[in-house]
Amino acid sequence: METTDEATMSKYYSIEPGNFILAGEAAEQIKKILKQLGIDAALIRKVAIASYEAEMNLVIHSVGGRLILNVNPQEITIIAQDDGPGIKDIELAMKEGYSTAPDAARELGFGAGMGLPNIKRYSDRFAIQSAEGEGTRVEMTFYLS
Ligand SMILES: Nc1ncnc2c1ncn2[C@@H]1O[C@H](COP(=O)(O)OP(=O)(O)OP(=O)(O)O)[C@@H](O)[C@H]1O
Ligand SMILES: [Mg+2]
């Protein structure tokens, strides 16, 4: 009996904290895969922006983590999950303009406090779970039909 769902694909990308050379590589790979799958260009743009913001948050704010891409005929889902330090006040973190980005990140143009609000804006479904001292998990879904 066929047990694997061949219509579903999954990719895993490890994200290194503080590495601005590698930063954006996972989002770039995701974009490439979606192009190969023949996904509509306007949708790819939204997914690419949201993935990039999620990846940068792991690079800048976390101790490291992973991006997971899942694609099935109905939707594209990206999960950004890290191992800490977590977010104390999620409502505050979701506010446009709120940022705790360090100077090193600000010097590179990050820290506008627009990443999380934009991920929410560009995705069809958005969920964030976090607690201080634990990891953060952001899940974004984009409908294909
Ligand atoms: N993975 C994470 N772990 C810990 N804190 C996070 C994480 N993601 C976001 N935050 C917190 O939420 C704040 C807001 O995130 P957001 O992505 O909106 O802005 P930013 O990363 O500071 O700036 P920008 O994304 O515009 O460059 C961050 O400054 C940080 O305090
Ligand atoms: Mg950000």
Side-chain angles (χ1 to χ4, degrees):
M1 198 180 95
E2 185 63 75
T3 51
T4 51
D5 181 359
E6 292 189 33
T8 301
M9 73 155 308
S10 210
K11 294 276 176 190
Y12 176 105
Y13 306 93
S14 185
I15 310 298
E16 210 182 291
N19 190 334
F20 289 95
I21 307 286
L22 284 179
E25 199 53 47
E28 199 56 48
Q29 291 301 319
I30 288 172
K31 198 164 136 185
K32 217 165 160 182
I33 287 171
L34 297 181
K35 267 186 195 164
Q36 282 165 0
L37 290 174
I39 309 284
D40 168 69
L43 179 56
I44 292 180
R45 221 179 103 70
K46 291 198 290 180
V47 179
I49 292 168
S51 318
Y52 179 73
E53 293 296 345
E55 181 176 4
M56 290 316 304
N57 278 354
L58 265 55
V59 173
I60 294 169
H61 307 292
S62 90
V63 299
R66 56 216 67 86
L67 245 64
I68 297 158
L69 165 72
N70 288 310
V71 185
N72 69 35
Q74 286 77 43
E75 57 195 31
I76 299 164
T77 297
I78 290 152
I79 297 164
Q81 198 181 24
D82 64 58
D83 303 318
I87 299 173
K88 190 173 169 183
D89 186 338
I90 293 177
E91 204 185 313
L92 186 60
M94 288 303 304
K95 285 218 168 84
E96 290 189 6
Y98 175 80
S99 176
T100 62
D103 287 346
R106 290 180 189 272
E107 277 160 21
L108 295 170
F110 302 103
M114 289 305 295
L116 288 174
N118 278 334
I119 294 170
K120 188 174 182 187
R121 179 174 306 127
Y122 285 120
S123 57
D124 294 310
R125 218 164 65 222
F126 171 87
I128 179 166
Q129 288 152 333
S130 189
E132 208 180 14
E134 287 169 34
T136 298
R137 186 184 191 275
V138 171
E139 181 167 337
M140 60 198 96
T141 299
F142 304 82
Y143 301 143
L144 286 170
S145 46

